[in-house]
């Protein structure tokens, strides 16, 4: 039987409190989230779910048939985060309710603090999905990953070898400063695409589509907390959903960028460059200099609107980076971390002046202003 209703996967996340400091989300918060998700499954609002954490961020992975930006789904996520924040406050956890920047829900969690990646599609015969969730970095940290997966044949052989991918991919790129976006095709417009997405301070990828039929291939969160709150309130630790196989990049092509690490902005106080460290769920905790920025990668399959589950009804979730194949990247990442930390607060270890405008640094310099004398 072919499942005719479109399936939506929603990954909605927020930092609602952590222990100790900004390191990780403790069990009691995950349990509150589980209870809310379970109840929503029983009422039929969602079809299946998986709750996990990326460092201090609580992640709600849900499947349903209500489409993207659905008010009921977003309200469920908001109410779940509010309940978790209450629990965090009762335990006096650190940063309780940190990312919940509005007093009341108003239709869509976008612009209220939480990060959202959603993808709606007609199910194929079999639908593998890769879920990325990062801590201590920003949405444009995924720019390089998306380029490697969908536009670089040295990473994704399928761009050359699979006739279904010869058409290339179309990238929807957001200019976060000007709040406008542009669609660019690779390989046809690759250099223009790279000119934008290489500028990670300003441009971030929202969606990726296969060019010939505009089949949705990837969806990314693009929250800018500083723009919402008007001041630094933590990094916009991002999430991303990537569909795999059968005319889209394979699971192995999606993960192979992490044979080596690369540098992303964030880390301590959202103010430093650091290596993107791929880790399994057991190491989903930002311990060293509040990092290094960590990346979780989970593999699932979607069938008939649900996460494929075992006989007990528990979703089968494969912890991709919990594997020796990524040991080399981890070792190289820690070598990069060690070099960068030797620079202390000096650039280039610290972010550029432009990026620092969105941190707490300007407040430290206010008193110096009147002491400067004209040269
Ligand atoms: C980065 C982050 C942490 C904090 C740092 C200071 O996204 O969350 O690195 O910026 O631990 O935190 P406060 O100001 O809460 O003491
Ligand atoms: Mg935090
Ligand atoms: Mg975080």
């Amino acid at each position: 039987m072919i499942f005719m209703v479109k399936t939506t996967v929603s990954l909605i996340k927020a930092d609602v409190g952590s222990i100790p400091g900004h390191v990780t989300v403790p069990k009691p918060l995950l349990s509150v989230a589980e209870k809310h998700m379970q109840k929503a499954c029983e009422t039929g609002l969602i079809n299946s779910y998986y709750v996990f954490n990326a460092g201090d961020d609580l992640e709600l992975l849900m499947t349903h048939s209500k489409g993207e930006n659905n008010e009921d789904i977003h309200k469920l996520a908001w109410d779940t985060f509010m309940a978790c924040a209450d629990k965090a406050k009762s335990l006096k956890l650190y940063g309780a309710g940190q990312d919940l920047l509005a007093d009341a829900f108003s239709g869509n969690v976008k612009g209220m603090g939480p990060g959202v990646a959603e993808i709606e599609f007609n199910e194929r015969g079999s639908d593998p999905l890769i879920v990325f969730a990062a801590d201590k970095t920003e949405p444009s940290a995924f720019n390089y990953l998306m380029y490697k997966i969908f536009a670089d044949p040295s990473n994704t052989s399928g761009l050359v070898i699979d006739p279904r991918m010869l058409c290339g991919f179309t990238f929807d790129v957001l200019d976060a400063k000007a709040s406008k976006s542009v669609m660019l095709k690779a390989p046809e417009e690759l250099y223009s695409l790279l000119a934008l997405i290489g500028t990670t301070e300003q441009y971030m990828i929202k969606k990726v589509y296969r060019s010939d039929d505009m089949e949705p291939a990837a969806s990314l969160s693009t929250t800018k907390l500083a723009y919402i709150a008007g001041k630094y309130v933590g990094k916009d630790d991002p999430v991303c959903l990537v569909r795999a196989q059968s005319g889209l990049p394979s699971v192995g092509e999606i993960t192979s960028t992490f044979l080596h690490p690369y540098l992303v902005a964030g880390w301590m106080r959202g103010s430093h460059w650091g290596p993107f460290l791929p880790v399994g769920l057991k190491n989903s905790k930002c311990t060293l200099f509040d990092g290094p920025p960590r990346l979780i990668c989970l593999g699932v399959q979607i069938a008939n609107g649900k996460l494929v589950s075992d006989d007990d009804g528990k979703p089968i979730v494969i912890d991709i980076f919990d594997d020796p194949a990524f040991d080399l990247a981890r070792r190289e990442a820690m070598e990069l971390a060690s070099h960068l930390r030797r620079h202390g607060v000096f650039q280039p270890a610290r972010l550029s002046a432009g990026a620092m405008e969105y941190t707490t640094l300007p407040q430290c310099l206010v008193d110096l202003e009147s002491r400067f004398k004209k040269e």
Side-chain angles (χ1 to χ4, degrees), residues 85-257:
D86 284 346
K87 181 72 182 177
K89 281 174 196 157
S90 75
L91 296 171
K92 283 187 77 176
L93 292 183
Y94 202 68
Q98 176 184 299
D99 285 356
L100 306 179
L101 304 178
D103 296 328
F105 179 73
S106 61
N108 190 310
V109 290
K110 279 184 194 162
M112 298 176 74
V116 184
E118 298 188 294
I119 193 161
E120 186 187 30
F121 53 90
N122 282 312
E123 285 186 23
R124 300 169 292 170
S126 180
D127 245 292
L129 181 81
I130 300 298
V131 176
F132 287 105
D135 189 30
K136 305 295 187 277
T137 186
E138 59 185 8
S140 56
F142 287 138
N143 286 6
Y144 180 72
L145 178 63
M146 292 298 110
Y147 156 67
K148 294 294 281 183
I149 296 171
F150 293 107
D152 180 3
S154 72
N155 180 83
T156 300
S157 317
L159 293 169
V160 173
I161 293 173
D162 185 336
R164 294 167 293 184
M165 277 194 267
L166 288 179
C167 60
F169 288 87
T170 299
F171 294 69
D172 188 358
V173 180
L174 172 73
D175 176 340
K177 283 190 182 154
S179 277
K180 55 186 185 185
S181 53
V182 61
M183 300 275 252
L184 287 165
K185 275 185 172 186
E188 298 90 323
E189 301 173 291
L190 182 61
Y191 295 168
S192 304
L193 174 71
L194 287 172
L196 295 187
I197 66 172
T199 308
T200 49
E201 259 173 56
Q202 189 167 351
Y203 299 95
M204 53 192 75
I205 299 163
K206 288 199 304 188
K207 299 255 186 190
V208 183
Y209 304 90
R210 185 169 54 201
S211 291
D212 65 354
D213 55 0
M214 293 306 272
E215 182 71 18
S219 177
L220 302 94
S221 64
T222 52
T223 325
K224 268 276 174 201
L225 290 181
Y227 296 165
I228 299 168
K231 61 177 179 7
Y232 182 72
V233 283
K235 269 280 172 232
D236 321 282
D237 307 317
V239 287
C240 167
L241 300 168
V242 187
R243 294 174 70 210
Q245 308 287 157
S246 300
L248 295 173
S250 70
V251 169
E253 287 166 338
I254 293 167
T255 59
S256 67
T257 301

Side-chain angles (χ1 to χ4, degrees), residues 67-87:
E68 298 175 22
N69 293 311
N70 177 268
E71 181 165 350
D72 297 337
I73 299 295
H74 282 227
K75 184 166 187 333
L76 167 66
W78 180 260
D79 291 345
T80 303
F81 291 140
M82 290 299 269
C84 293
D86 284 346
K87 181 72 182 177

Side-chain angles (χ1 to χ4, degrees), residues 15 18 22 56 98:
D15 178 347
S18 46
H22 295 281
D56 62 5
Q98 176 184 299

